[in-house]
Amino acid sequence: MKKKYMKLLIVAIASSFCLVIFFSKLKDVEHEQKDLAKITSVPDTTPRNPTTVVVSSIKKKTYSVAPYELPPLTISETFRKGIPKNGAFWNRKLHSLLRQFDSTDNQTQKGPLDKFNCQPESFELLQTNIQDVHSYPPLYGDFLRGMQCRDPPLLIDQPDKCASENREDQIFLLFAIKSIPRNFERRQAVRETWGREGLYENGLQVRTVFLLGRSSADDPKLDKLVSFEAQQFQDLLVWDFHDSFYNLTLKEHVFFKWMLDNCPHVSFIFKGDDDVFANTQAILNHLKSLEPEQATALYTGQIISAANPLRDPKIKYYVPQSFYEGPYPPYAGGGGFLFSGNLLPSLYHVSFYIPFFPIDDVYNGMCFKALGITATKHEGFKTFDIREQDRENPCVHKDLLLVHQRDPGQTMRLWRNMHSTMLTC
Ligand SMILES: *[C@@H]1O[C@H](CO)[C@@H](O)[C@H](O)[C@H]1NC(C)=O
Ligand SMILES: *[C@@H]1O[C@H](CO)[C@@H](O)[C@H](O)[C@H]1NC(C)=O
């Protein structure tokens, strides 16, 4: 109530100040308020009972053939030629999978699902394949041993995330946010701001899921809080694998699979981090403006092209020479990017022929390139952030689609200011 009086008071003051400007702006303001009302009053069109499924007994199962049929696959020449054949471990692994694809798998439509039996590679075996493996950072060892494991059990599911009665209610945009168990506050900021689920302008449905693994042994036990959060908000997906930087391609792979099982008809997917600021309305406007042929082959964000592996063992993105040698394909910065939902089956299929890579954005770039999809740069994605003095300026953010990175407080503030009726940019 108080807020309403405040608003009235503010409007009254504003109108007495500059009547002329006010009348010219009035239409816009009303329009904006209506749109916001739409978002807030219809947070959720499909009534949701607590449908979160918490799978407590961990069943080890082998890969079952998916209920959907994987599409026929061609792996592009530019991708094959772009990754040199040499002695590096990953390069050898890739080209051996490609040979296998060409010799048998491309005749049938069966993916190589049965070829990934999760047998952790022994250190001895690794050592015969990578002479200097003893000099790799310890976490690399975990990554190498787990490279073949592609089917961790799903512990917390949201099977009704994309359920809807009629086809017109198809989800237009799904936010898939990489998070880790302890980032409660970041997730809440996303829920209350740019990741808000519901019906937006022009009847566009938006949904959000957070992608999580298990907390590390060094973290306090957060499982109970996480499952409470999942029941409360119905937007967490939790898989049974150790949530670490090098396991992000695994997270990508299981996310593709989950999408095919649960949300196969989503038009667009935003994949990103939990510490970015996304401008939902600007994203929706951009997606809505695409030509049909762009909309079905979209892979866009801030594109990093002509990058090469970094060889300094002290940095996060270190890739040893004996592991991978060659340039990286153009890839969208992992802070946030957009792609077409209809690419999901092919992405999932092709990801069986591309060995897991320690850097997930590079891996994505490889998958899209293998499908012959061009990475398109969009100036509105600022994964390396913007000028210091602009970082709290809502007007600067109006035309941007994404900035990296913002803490929960900054995200809340920016969002509030951007949607303030007092804002005149
Ligand atoms: C499978 O790949 C080989 C080698 O590239 C090619 O010659 C053959 O035509 C492909 N078969 C199909 C069914 O696409
Ligand atoms: C990835 O997750 C698996 C399963 O929990 C684990 O064995 C492996 O060590 C993890 N890899 C990394 C690099 O953390």
Side-chain angles (χ1 to χ4, degrees), residues 242-372:
H242 173 207
D243 211 334
S244 69
F245 178 67
Y246 291 144
N247 262 344
L248 283 177
T249 51
L250 173 61
K251 196 178 262 191
E252 179 80 18
H253 182 77
V254 294
F255 167 65
F256 289 160
K257 179 168 195 285
W258 185 86
M259 285 299 286
L260 290 178
D261 289 338
N262 297 280
C263 299
H265 302 301
V266 165
S267 308
F268 297 99
I269 291 134
F270 171 102
K271 183 116 190 304
D273 290 335
D274 60 5
D275 59 347
V276 300
F277 183 88
N279 185 346
T280 311
Q281 197 55 58
I283 290 175
L284 293 173
N285 294 346
H286 173 62
L287 293 174
K288 202 72 194 153
S289 75
L290 296 172
E291 300 293 328
E293 62 270 20
Q294 293 173 305
T296 51
L298 185 73
Y299 172 43
T300 191
Q302 178 161 20
I303 305 304
I304 297 131
S305 29
N308 281 292
L310 300 174
R311 305 300 194 191
D312 176 357
K314 285 192 284 300
I315 49 181
K316 186 178 175 187
Y317 302 101
Y318 170 58
V319 170
Q321 196 133 17
S322 59
F323 179 79
Y324 178 76
E325 203 169 348
Y328 288 155
Y331 64 94
F337 64 94
L338 292 163
F339 67 97
S340 312
N342 64 302
L343 296 175
L344 280 164
S346 312
L347 281 169
Y348 179 64
H349 198 174
V350 81
S351 75
F352 281 101
Y353 294 97
I354 307 180
F356 283 170
F357 199 80
I359 304 172
D360 67 319
D361 357 6
V362 174
Y363 187 77
N364 277 318
M366 290 173 175
C367 292
F368 283 102
K369 188 169 177 184
L371 298 181

Side-chain angles (χ1 to χ4, degrees), residues 120 138-146 149 152 214 240-247 250:
L139 272 179
Y140 244 91
D142 290 345
F143 170 76
L144 288 167
R145 270 187 295 274
C149 298
R214 302 290 292 274
D240 189 15
F241 63 85
H242 173 207
D243 211 334
S244 69
F245 178 67
Y246 291 144
N247 262 344
L250 173 61

Side-chain angles (χ1 to χ4, degrees), residues 101-102 106-107:
F101 174 75
D102 291 338
N106 72 347
Q107 320 291 317

Side-chain angles (χ1 to χ4, degrees), residues 380-399:
F381 284 80
K382 304 288 182 195
T383 55
F384 300 112
D385 216 333
I386 52 177
R387 295 186 314 171
E388 184 103 38
Q389 62 264 41
D390 291 340
R391 289 187 188 166
E392 302 261 342
N393 182 343
C395 289
V396 172
H397 289 76
K398 281 222 137 179
D399 301 321

